[in-house]
Amino acid sequence: MNAKSATSRASKKSRKTAISKGAAVSKAAAAKSKTGKLPEWNLADLYSGIDAPEVARDLQEMDAACIAFETDYKGKLADNVAKDDGGQWLAAAVKRYEAIDDLAGRLGSYAGLIHAGDSVDPAITKFYGDVSERLTAASVHLLFFGLELNRVDDAVIERALQTPDLAYYRPWIEDLRKDKPYQLEDRVEQLFHEKSQSGYAAWNRLFDQTISGLRFKVGGKELAIEPTLNFLQDRAPEKRKAAGQALAKTFKENERTFALVTNTLAKDKEISDRWRGFADVADSRHLNNRVEREVVDALVGSVRSAYPRLSHRYYALKAGWFKKKKLAHWDRNAPLPFAATGTIAWPEARNMVLTAYRGFSVEMADIAERFFTDRWIDAPVRPGKAPGAFSHPTTPSAHPYVLMNYQGKPRDVMTLAHELGHGVHQVLAAKNGALMAPTPLTLAETASVFGEMLTFKRLLGQTKNAKQRQALLAGKVEDMINTVVRQVAFYSFERAIHTERKNGELTAQRIGEIWLSVQSESLGPAIDIRPGYENFWMYIPHFIHSPFYVYAYAFGDCLVNSLYAVYENASDGFAERYLAMLAAGGTKHYSELLKPFGLDAKDPKFWDGGLSVIAGMIDELETMG
């Protein structure tokens, strides 16, 4: 299995916070009555349970297949690929490798999903850990394949690729060979691979378990992090303040643990980067994303220079709506005073999103509808359930699953639209097979953000009340600022942490100072950063699970803004071209996929175009008063 399989797929979830058994059951029941009955996913499409005989059978089959693969191919690639029938021989090997990857993906996905559904159940936690270890142990027998393949001469590989069966896998082989300069000697690669379970993977689990166990005292109640963070969007200002102070207090009490986790993982990455020869702290992520460093640098530079006309200007507007000069940091995401109240029931949310999708493409809506009818969505807030939301692709022989924590807010509807965008993308790309279905992060967030935009535009078009249009527009601007400005600030924070860590450990205080620096730069003078906010870096899981992942959100949002402008200006045939782009999965470089739309992310002006869409919405809000 390759770097994008099994264990890495399971850890690629978009986890934003954490929830555990401290959530009040009565609150969940009350929320349920307002939202209607929420769907829970049916994981039986993968396995019927953690004790299912099929799990044991497939684990044994995977072990045997990996050992047999190593026996049949290790040490033989160079000679056999160089023969006249080398292309056919290698094609057969790649197909076997892909079949193992698909099986491992099924096992790893099931373990990851059932653990996401309940991360504190001891039996499930043990199952998740055991399967992860089995996957790592089995895949040791496959490590040689990519390493040996990359040692074959370019001319020999090119001749083999003339064989039609192997030519199909050209995108995967060419991607694999981009890793060649950073590969190490086989035994070192094996050591890195096996030590991951007791290294960064173990620190990831410690972070998850620690976050799940934290309790925050709000209004006399001990709450887990998800409902506490939810209070930051409450209408009552005293609840927002209480939640902000409770978060600060508990984070302060646990700062040493989170500082240790952050320092250890940064050092672990520095060791790996140094051995592999990566020049920059984020170069390994750029390589994995198949995006050039200068493109990311241009994106980040454009966004940072746009802070004053985006976030600074918007938050000044928002403070004015609350009749204040400045907003406390816990009021940043407060609902607008003129926004509609009430809870959006699940059937209404479903209809909103599917109607928006159907207005764009019947095929897109039909795929999205299967998530509802076939029970591919897990929506309720539950004790022990993973936080936030994600769409997990699982493996091409199965189908994706969506996890949400639906509480009936307008933002939850946008989250549903977002994750279904991912889901549609994953369904369409699955036909490429286990090796080429996965999409680099540079495009992974495109379909999701585009799904949000379709839903937003539909709702905006249906809203006639002037104040509700203003609230809807402001909500979209906030989402875009959180997607673009906030994520680029996160990226700047990570760069500073990983760069400074090379010179020694960072204290929790120092990490907090860096956090406050990037946050004050991005939020601007209209946000009053109160004491306690210096530790709010602690709960962001992307820093732990996927270093430098965050810029993909900004990449996707700016890209979608440009894509949507093309759609509005020339909609004929756009849906077909768009779905073809999604269906390509990981078979083409992002630059090639954007050509049919006349877009070039290497153009320095490209990102400014995407950012101007956000600025234009803020212009409109300013005229509304």
Side-chain angles (χ1 to χ4, degrees):
M1 64 206 79
N2 68 349
K4 294 174 183 170
S5 68
T7 47
S8 62
R9 282 197 199 116
S11 67
K12 192 181 166 186
K13 311 159 191 166
S14 293
R15 290 178 283 189
K16 294 174 184 171
T17 51
I19 181 169
S20 66
K21 287 193 172 175
V25 176
S26 59
K27 246 188 161 179
K32 181 181 176 182
S33 66
K34 292 179 182 178
T35 59
K37 183 172 172 54
L38 297 173
E40 297 188 25
W41 55 27
N42 174 25
L43 296 181
D45 290 351
L46 296 171
Y47 297 100
S48 61
I50 61 176
D51 296 323
E54 291 82 5
V55 173
R57 178 202 68 196
D58 285 357
L59 283 167
Q60 289 178 348
E61 182 181 328
M62 184 190 61
D63 288 341
C66 289
I67 292 169
F69 187 88
E70 183 179 41
T71 302
D72 292 346
Y73 295 108
K74 188 172 184 179
K76 302 170 186 175
L77 262 68
D79 290 342
N80 281 287
V81 176
K83 292 178 181 177
D84 289 341
D85 64 344
Q88 204 61 49
W89 182 89
L90 183 55
V94 172
K95 286 176 183 176
R96 274 181 65 179
Y97 184 86
E98 184 174 42
I100 295 171
D101 188 80
D102 192 275
L103 180 61
R106 179 177 291 267
L107 287 160
S109 297
Y110 178 70
L113 290 170
I114 200 164
H115 184 251
D118 188 345
S119 61
V120 295
D121 181 281
I124 290 175
T125 299
K126 174 177 166 49
F127 175 76
Y128 175 65
D130 288 348
V131 170
S132 298
E133 286 186 12
R134 285 285 291 274
L135 288 170
T136 301
S139 60
V140 165
H141 298 287
L142 306 181
L143 274 179
F144 77 91
F145 191 58
L147 299 172
E148 284 193 29
L149 196 57
N150 278 352
R151 286 198 285 267
V152 177
D153 186 74
D154 288 347
V156 174
I157 285 288
E158 186 54 44
R159 191 182 74 174
L161 282 167
Q162 303 312 305
T163 304
D165 282 356
L166 186 64
Y168 175 77
Y169 293 99
R170 176 184 285 274
W172 178 75
I173 290 172
E174 288 182 345
D175 261 1
L176 186 69
R177 290 177 80 78
K178 289 175 184 174
D179 297 329
K180 186 175 179 178
Y182 309 102
Q183 285 181 181
L184 302 170
E185 187 267 324
D186 291 19
R187 284 179 61 79
V188 177
E189 288 286 357
Q190 182 177 338
L191 179 64
F192 269 49
H193 190 70
E194 291 195 48
K195 288 281 283 182
S196 67
Q197 283 297 304
S198 58
Y200 65 81
W203 288 96
N204 271 247
R205 282 181 68 183
L206 173 63
F207 172 85
D208 289 345
Q209 290 173 9
T210 305
I211 280 284
S212 295
L214 294 183
R215 292 296 174 266
F216 306 86
K217 194 168 184 178
V218 184
K221 292 182 179 179
E222 295 281 335
L223 300 177
I225 194 166
E226 181 87 1
T228 308
L229 287 166
N230 196 46
F231 272 130
L232 296 179
Q233 297 177 42
D234 198 277
R235 285 199 165 272
E238 65 275 10
K239 288 183 180 178
R240 297 195 299 268
K241 181 177 181 180
Q245 292 176 337
L247 288 162
K249 183 176 184 298
T250 300
F251 287 157
K252 179 65 178 175
E253 291 166 354
N254 292 272
E255 65 180 6
R256 290 179 65 189
T257 299
F258 286 101
L260 177 60
V261 171
T262 299
N263 272 289
T264 303
L265 286 171
K267 182 62 179 177
D268 183 87
K269 186 177 183 304
E270 185 272 326
I271 293 169
S272 177
D273 284 355
R274 176 161 38 86
W275 274 72
R276 295 188 181 283
F278 287 110
D280 183 79
V281 291
D283 274 356
S284 58
R285 174 61 65 192
H286 302 333
L287 178 70
N288 188 255
N289 287 348
R290 305 309 185 213
V291 65
E292 300 79 12
R293 188 200 302 171
E294 56 269 25
V295 171
V296 178
D297 289 348
L299 163 66
V300 172
S302 293
V303 173
R304 289 183 71 177
S305 64
Y307 285 169
R309 61 191 174 98
L310 299 181
S311 48
H312 296 190
R313 192 159 57 115
Y314 174 75
Y315 289 131
L317 261 180
K318 186 168 184 175
W321 293 328
F322 280 89
K323 302 190 182 334
K324 294 181 178 180
K325 287 187 176 180
K326 289 187 174 187
L327 290 173
H329 69 257
W330 51 69
D331 289 332
R332 186 174 61 85
N333 287 320
L336 298 178
F338 46 81
T341 58
T343 299
I344 301 168
W346 180 256
E348 189 182 353
R350 167 181 170 158
N351 185 57
M352 284 178 181
V353 177
L354 290 181
T355 302
Y357 275 30
R358 200 166 297 282
F360 174 73
S361 162
V362 172
E363 182 184 357
M364 188 169 165
D366 286 346
I367 295 171
E369 193 161 14
R370 290 196 66 192
F371 283 78
F372 298 95
T373 58
D374 295 355
R375 292 178 59 197
W376 296 354
I377 303 177
D378 195 85
V381 176
R382 285 193 308 271
K385 182 178 174 180
F390 63 77
S391 181
H392 194 303
T394 73
T395 196
S397 62
H399 57 76
Y401 282 97
V402 164
L403 177 141
M404 292 185 66
N405 285 277
Y406 189 83
Q407 298 177 73
K409 296 181 182 296
R411 216 164 240 156
D412 293 336
V413 179
M414 290 300 162
T415 298
L416 177 62
H418 180 104
E419 299 307 337
L420 286 175
H422 277 309
V424 169
H425 192 179
Q426 291 158 357
V427 168
L428 287 169
K431 66 175 177 55
N432 297 301
L435 298 183
M436 293 186 296
T439 307
L441 290 181
T442 39
L443 280 173
E445 293 300 332
T446 302
S448 53
V449 178
F450 195 84
E452 278 188 77
M453 182 66 89
L454 287 173
T455 306
F456 163 72
K457 290 285 189 178
R458 182 85 182 189
L459 293 176
L460 190 67
Q462 293 174 341
T463 304
K464 305 306 177 190
N465 179 283
K467 277 296 176 188
Q468 291 315 308
R469 278 183 62 82
Q470 185 179 0
L472 197 60
L473 194 62
K476 182 59 178 172
V477 168
E478 284 198 17
D479 285 343
M480 292 171 118
I481 286 173
N482 282 330
T483 304
V484 178
V485 170
R486 185 167 165 81
Q487 303 303 327
V488 164
F490 283 176
Y491 178 71
S492 300
F493 170 75
E494 284 189 277
R495 288 195 61 85
I497 294 296
H498 283 264
T499 301
E500 196 165 313
R501 178 64 180 91
K502 291 181 178 182
N503 299 320
E505 284 205 10
L506 285 74
T507 62
Q509 180 183 346
R510 177 58 187 150
I511 298 173
E513 289 169 358
I514 295 171
W515 173 258
L516 290 179
S517 172
V518 299
Q519 289 298 303
S520 59
E521 178 197 19
S522 66
L523 297 173
I527 297 295
D528 182 13
I529 295 177
R530 306 281 180 88
Y533 190 65
E534 67 273 7
N535 283 334
F536 272 50
W537 55 270
M538 293 180 186
Y539 76 91
I540 310 297
H542 294 86
F543 300 157
I544 304 302
H545 297 297
S546 309
F548 303 107
Y549 179 104
V550 289
Y551 72 73
Y553 291 112
F555 195 108
D557 198 282
C558 290
L559 178 55
V560 164
N561 288 339
S562 299
L563 262 180
Y564 206 87
V566 174
Y567 170 51
E568 288 186 314
N569 295 326
S571 59
D572 286 351
F574 182 92
E576 290 75 14
R577 282 179 286 154
Y578 175 75
L579 293 180
M581 178 183 77
L582 301 189
T587 63
K588 295 179 180 179
H589 191 262
Y590 75 90
S591 57
E592 190 179 349
L593 290 171
L594 293 180
K595 276 182 185 174
F597 305 98
L599 299 175
D600 180 9
K602 290 185 178 179
D603 182 344
K605 297 177 183 176
F606 174 81
W607 301 114
D608 292 333
L611 295 171
S612 69
V613 173
I614 309 174
M617 288 183 177
I618 300 172
D619 291 343
E620 190 176 345
L621 285 170
E622 284 181 333
T623 65
M624 292 177 171

